[in-house]
């Protein structure tokens, strides 16, 4: 596994284009990334994490405009994306009618528009990516299987899981060690807070205030 500096993100993009898996830091933890359009690459992420195929990967987008193209966005979804993207918020979104869905990210899809290094990676890739935490997934995980917070911990995961990670971008220590916040955004119903994480529930509530609708449940 190669260790890249943040200035070498273009090299990480070339590895992705070649069908490889790379690990990239976020404020939460390191994430395994692959081209969402490459089934062999996304399958490699599932295998590395011992993740059930029914537990979909996160879809990474470069902008809210890309979400408009792919998904049937409610008013609430647009408010959240406008106020809190790019950032640490995941939106569960229904695909547009007739859209070609992607098995690895499921339907509805959990989509994010990240900032920081991960956001830069998606922007350089110029296409959506699939991502998942660099750790063994439940139910295979035990109490020793923690998400990687450093490049060194990614290396340990690579050795023990034989994950086949082509490179890790060393961004130092990921400070938060928490899940992203997820809001379910059906096309025809109010948004609902599914899980609170790095984005506070009150921030979600404030972002939805302009809709004039009820607060998230």
């Amino acid at each position: 596994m190669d260790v890249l500096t943040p200035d070498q993100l273009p090299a990480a993009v070339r590895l992705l284009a070649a069908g490889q898996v790379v690990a990239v830091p976020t404020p939460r933890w390191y994430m395994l990334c692959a081209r969402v359009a490459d089934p062999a690459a996304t399958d490699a992420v599932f295998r590395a994490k011992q993740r059930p195929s029914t537990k979909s990967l996160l879809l990474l987008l470069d902008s809210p405009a890309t979400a408009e193209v792919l998904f049937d966005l409610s008013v609430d979804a647009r408010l959240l994306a406008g106020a809190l993207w790019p950032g640490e918020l995941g939106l569960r979104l229904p695909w547009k009618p007739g859209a070609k869905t992607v098995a690895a990210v499921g339907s509805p899809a959990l989509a994010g528009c990240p900032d920081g290094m991960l956001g830069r990676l998606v922007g350089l890739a110029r296409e959506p990516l699939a991502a998942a935490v660099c750790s063994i997934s439940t139910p295979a995980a035990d109490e020793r299987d923690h998400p990687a917070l450093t490049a060194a911990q990614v290396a340990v995961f690579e050795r023990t899981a034989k994950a086949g990670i082509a490179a890790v971008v060393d961004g130092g220590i990921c400070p938060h060690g928490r899940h992203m916040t997820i809001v379910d955004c059906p096309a025809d119903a109010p948004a609902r807070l599914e899980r609170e994480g790095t984005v506070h529930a009150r921030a979600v509530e404030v972002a939805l205030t302009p809709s004039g609708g009820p607060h998230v449940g």
Side-chain angles (χ1 to χ4, degrees):
M1 183 183 72
D2 293 336
V3 179
L4 306 177
T5 68
D7 291 338
Q8 293 177 300
L9 276 180
V13 171
R14 289 192 291 273
L15 290 169
L16 290 170
Q20 300 296 315
V21 175
V22 300
V24 181
T26 73
R28 296 175 290 114
W29 35 51
Y30 280 75
M31 302 287 287
L32 302 176
C33 299
R35 291 182 65 236
V36 76
D38 187 336
T42 55
D43 285 350
V45 175
F46 281 104
R47 286 196 304 272
K49 291 179 58 60
Q50 302 176 44
R51 187 182 184 98
S53 60
T54 53
K55 191 175 180 180
S56 302
L57 305 180
L58 172 66
L59 179 66
L60 300 178
L61 308 175
D62 61 345
S63 71
T66 303
E68 289 277 1
V69 172
L70 298 175
F71 298 108
D72 189 0
L73 299 184
S74 66
V75 171
D76 282 354
R78 290 189 175 94
L79 287 170
L80 290 166
L84 297 172
W85 276 4
E88 293 294 308
L89 179 69
L91 300 180
R92 201 171 296 282
L93 301 171
W95 296 89
K96 281 192 171 180
K100 182 180 179 181
T101 61
V102 181
V105 297
S107 181
L110 177 59
C113 181
D115 53 9
M117 206 172 303
L118 191 57
R120 289 169 53 200
L121 182 76
V122 182
L124 288 169
R126 297 185 178 181
E127 63 176 326
L129 301 178
V133 182
C134 185
S135 66
I136 301 297
S137 287
T138 54
D142 61 29
E143 66 275 4
R144 298 166 297 176
D145 293 312
H146 301 296
L149 301 183
T150 67
Q153 291 174 2
V154 174
V156 171
F157 175 78
E158 163 62 21
R159 289 194 301 271
T160 58
K162 296 180 173 58
I165 303 169
V168 57
V169 180
D170 188 350
I173 301 171
C174 303
H176 293 165
R178 295 187 67 197
H179 287 286
M180 71 191 316
T181 295
I182 299 176
V183 180
D184 186 19
C185 295
D188 55 358
R192 179 185 65 85
L193 182 65
E194 182 176 319
R195 182 184 72 195
E196 185 176 2
T198 48
V199 176
H200 199 282
R202 288 174 57 207
V204 173
E205 184 175 0
V206 171
L208 289 170
T209 300
S211 69
H215 296 321
V216 291

